[in-house]
Each structure stands twice: as C-alpha cells, then as structure tokens.
Amino acid sequence: ANAVSDIYLTDTEGSLMINTVTSLGGAVALNALELELGVITADKTATLNVLGAITNKESTETNVTATDILINADSVGAVGNAITTDLVGGSLTVDAVNDVVIHDVQGEVNVERIISANGNVVLKTEDALNLNKIEAVNGKVTLDVNGDLVNVAENDEINVIAKELTAEVKGTVGATDKHLVTKVELMDMGAKQDIYLSCVSESVTITNLTAENGEIVLEAGNGENGTTVIENASANSITITATNAT
C-alpha cells in the first residue's frame, strides 16, 4: 500500500503480513491480531496495535521508518531477529506484555518509554540513546549503545527498572549533573568514557562497572538496611557513595 496521506489498515483474522506500506506525507496505523513486518515508512507517526506478536519476516530493509513510532503488542521481535527501526527526529514508545527486541539502525534514538510487563527488553542503537524510561520489572534489560547514554527524564524519574541490567556504551553514561538512574537488583555496565550512575534499589549487586577511558561516580543504596555489592570496578578514578557497600 502506498499513499501521499494517512494509511489505516485493520485485519481481524489471522496474521497480517506486510510487504511494503508507505505514506509519503502522513501517518501509518495498523491494527492486527498478529503482524509479520516487511517495510513500513511514514512521514509522520507509525502506530502498531497488535494483540499478539510483531515479528520481522527477515526483511533486509528497515522494518519501520517514521518520525514517531508507537507500538502496543504482546511481544516485539525476538533475540536474533529484532524489529529494526529508524526514528526521524521523534520518539519511540513501546508497551508489551512479553519480550521487546529492537535495533535502531541510524541516528540518535529518543525513547519515551519501553515497557515489558513479563519479559525482557533488548535495545541496540547505532548512535546516542536519549532515555526517559525502560521498564521490565520481571525481566532483564540489555542495552548496546553506540554513543552516549543520556538521561532525559524529568523530576528525578527512574530511567531503568528491572531485575537485571546489562549495558555496553561506546560513549558516556549519564552526566555530572544528571546521573543515569536505575532500580535493579543485578548490574553489569561498561562504557568507553565516563559513568555517572545512581542506583536507587534497596540492594544491588554490581558484577562489573568499567569506564575504560574515564571516571566512575556512583551513588547507590536506598535505606539503612540496603546493601551494595561491587564485585569489580575499573576506571581512571572512582567515587562511590553507597549504603553498606562491600
């Protein structure tokens, strides 16, 4: 389907398989029970409302290119077969029940929120990640960021809530005046440059915290009964303020 204005498609039976949907001057909105993605291109917003899974039907092109991308589904992509996106100046919002696996292939990525109620979240970017919130309260968050990981949340909101966080960042995590804020039980984080991090969990175990060419500034612990266990930390300089740190 191709149009110069908005495109709205609804499928009420079986799995909707998309080869190409292009809106040159408008938005694209798809509603389906299940969705197999080829290529969607929208000049404005791409909205995907799917009762079941959204899968990549192994397209060699980017699955979704749009100014803003809004997704509501049971699951989005899979490990080894991510949904690929290209945000053009807007933001990404995902609400899912189970796993979310997304690879943004170009430019900075603005994440308004990615929420998985019962699964894991895997996000890869090829440039900076400007993060408001990622939440996987019953699972693991994995971030692969080919740039800086920036906290853009307001009012000291928590950026990452999960059981476990693994992050590899090619630039800097957080900033001196605005740390990345996490609430996790287990963490492994590495960065090429500085790490400015606040952990607000009552207790956290950090298996690895490495700032290859920079400093680490860590604030951790929430309450007198909390514990902070740091198994390995490596940087040019390390400053830690923590509750019952070991």
Side-chain angles (χ1 to χ4, degrees):
N2 295 280
V4 295
S5 57
D6 296 341
I7 297 174
Y8 301 95
L9 294 174
T10 298
D11 184 83
T12 58
E13 296 183 4
S15 180
L16 177 61
M17 182 179 293
I18 295 295
N19 289 320
T20 303
V21 174
T22 302
S23 173
L24 298 176
V28 172
L30 302 182
N31 300 279
L33 299 180
E34 293 188 343
L35 181 60
E36 295 182 63
L37 274 181
V39 177
I40 294 174
T41 304
D43 184 61
K44 297 179 181 177
T45 301
T47 303
L48 309 179
N49 289 309
V50 180
L51 187 62
I54 299 176
T55 57
N56 180 352
K57 70 185 195 75
E58 299 183 357
S59 171
T60 57
E61 299 181 64
T62 303
N63 293 125
V64 185
T65 300
T67 301
D68 295 286
I69 299 174
L70 309 177
I71 299 175
N72 192 311
D74 178 79
S75 62
V76 181
V79 174
N81 195 23
I83 297 300
T84 54
T85 62
D86 185 2
L87 280 164
V88 186
S91 63
L92 174 65
T93 301
V94 180
D95 292 293
V97 177
N98 292 300
D99 291 349
V100 176
V101 184
I102 292 175
H103 176 196
D104 192 90
V105 300
Q106 182 172 275
E108 292 190 4
V109 180
N110 303 313
V111 170
E112 177 61 26
R113 72 175 180 272
I114 300 175
I115 296 177
S116 170
N118 296 318
N120 303 316
V121 173
V122 179
L123 177 62
K124 181 178 181 179
T125 72
E126 297 301 332
D127 205 326
L129 172 56
N130 302 315
L131 180 59
N132 183 48
K133 180 170 70 172
I134 294 178
E135 185 175 308
V137 292
N138 295 304
K140 178 180 179 179
V141 172
T142 302
L143 303 177
D144 184 350
V145 181
N146 196 23
D148 294 333
L149 175 50
V150 183
N151 176 359
V152 296
E154 298 180 356
N155 303 319
D156 298 321
E157 294 289 334
I158 300 171
N159 300 115
V160 180
I161 301 173
K163 293 287 188 183
E164 183 177 350
L165 169 63
T166 297
E168 285 295 329
V169 179
K170 298 300 190 294
T172 295
V173 175
T176 55
D177 59 345
K178 197 165 188 178
H179 290 196
L180 185 79
V181 183
T182 67
K183 187 177 182 180
V184 302
E185 298 173 9
L186 186 65
M187 181 189 302
D188 183 325
M189 178 178 290
K192 286 290 185 182
Q193 305 300 327
D194 302 316
I195 295 177
Y196 302 103
L197 180 66
S198 295
C199 303
V200 299
S201 313
E202 183 174 352
S203 296
V204 60
T205 297
I206 300 173
T207 58
N208 176 64
L209 192 63
T210 300
E212 188 173 323
N213 298 304
E215 67 172 345
I216 292 173
V217 178
L218 170 65
E219 297 176 355
N222 184 12
E224 294 181 359
N225 297 323
T227 58
T228 301
V229 177
I230 303 170
E231 296 181 355
N232 179 68
S234 175
N236 291 339
S237 67
I238 300 174
T239 303
I240 298 174
T241 305
T243 302
N244 299 326
T246 58

